[in-house]
Amino acid sequence: MPASKILMITGDFTEDYETMVPFQTLLACGYTVDAVCPGKKAGETVATAIHDFEGDQTYSEKRGHNFALNATFDSVRAEDYDALIIPGGRAPEYLRLNAEVIKSVRHFFDAGKPVAAICHGAQLLAAAGVLKGRTCSAYPACRPEVELAGGIYADISITDAVSDGNLVTAPAWPAHPSWLRQFMTVLDASSIPETNAA
């Protein structure tokens, strides 16, 4: 049985695939996903950026789509959600400056709820101070931030993901099959009611 509600925190120049693909996939699998951005309301959009790997020393960036938000950041409460998903791209860089975003991220860790972050999403986790002693993958350029925050950087293939308890992370969108599969496994395990042994 899918967890009832997932909160997606995103923002302008979020990575296109890392926002659109998980949002649509999780909806298709029966989850409810509310996508929010500080300072914006349901029905407004965030600009996305397409990051690609074309043989240069770092990713290339192109303008993507306009992604429509379906909930209002100021109206949601982290306590009302079963899980959190943080796309990568450039959005985490500025979202980590927002105290309410940081508070929301910390709630999911304090409550032991499932959290999925991909690529530069680790910047938000590092700023929230939730990586100490945790294994975390991210885009390789974010490795210093993971390690400076006390995390253990998972140096894995770009098509792989890693789970550490309730935290599921991956380096970039080529990892979607593994990342989303692992996240849904954690989500489904967290929604199984505890039973008392007879």
Side-chain angles (χ1 to χ4, degrees):
M1 182 74 179
S4 58
K5 292 182 80 174
I6 301 169
L7 182 64
M8 174 183 279
I9 300 178
T10 189
D12 281 323
F13 295 100
T14 183
E15 209 291 322
D16 190 279
Y17 298 162
E18 293 167 4
T19 306
M20 298 254 191
V21 173
F23 181 79
Q24 293 174 337
T25 299
L26 291 165
L27 288 176
C29 291
Y31 299 92
T32 298
V33 185
D34 285 351
V36 298
C37 173
K40 298 196 181 192
K41 298 177 180 177
E44 294 182 331
T45 62
V46 293
T48 73
I50 296 170
H51 290 169
D52 210 348
F53 311 101
E54 301 176 296
D56 301 303
Q57 291 182 332
T58 188
Y59 57 85
S60 62
E61 183 174 74
K62 302 171 183 70
R63 177 68 165 89
H65 299 89
N66 291 327
F67 174 74
L69 305 165
N70 63 345
T72 301
F73 182 80
D74 289 343
S75 300
V76 301
R77 293 172 7 104
E79 295 80 4
D80 295 335
Y81 291 87
D82 301 301
L84 172 67
I85 190 163
I86 303 171
R90 290 167 55 199
E93 181 181 62
Y94 82 89
L95 290 174
R96 62 185 169 173
L97 304 176
N98 185 301
E100 288 304 311
V101 170
I102 295 296
K103 181 180 172 184
S104 293
V105 172
R106 288 179 178 155
H107 162 78
F108 287 93
F109 282 86
D110 291 344
K113 296 177 181 180
V115 175
I118 191 165
C119 201
H120 286 72
Q123 292 179 315
L124 197 42
L125 301 179
V130 296
L131 289 180
K132 190 174 178 74
R134 305 294 296 265
T135 298
C136 178
S137 178
Y139 187 70
C142 296
R143 180 175 189 153
E145 288 160 284
V146 170
E147 293 179 338
L148 287 167
I152 303 157
Y153 179 75
D155 189 5
I156 58 178
S157 165
I158 199 167
T159 58
D160 289 339
V162 62
S163 296
D164 182 348
N166 65 314
L167 176 64
V168 183
T169 55
W173 57 260
H176 275 153
S178 180
W179 181 60
L180 289 170
R181 182 172 56 250
Q182 289 185 42
F183 183 47
M184 286 188 273
T185 297
V186 172
L187 281 168
D188 294 345
S190 72
S191 68
I192 298 171
E194 293 183 10
T195 56
N196 294 325

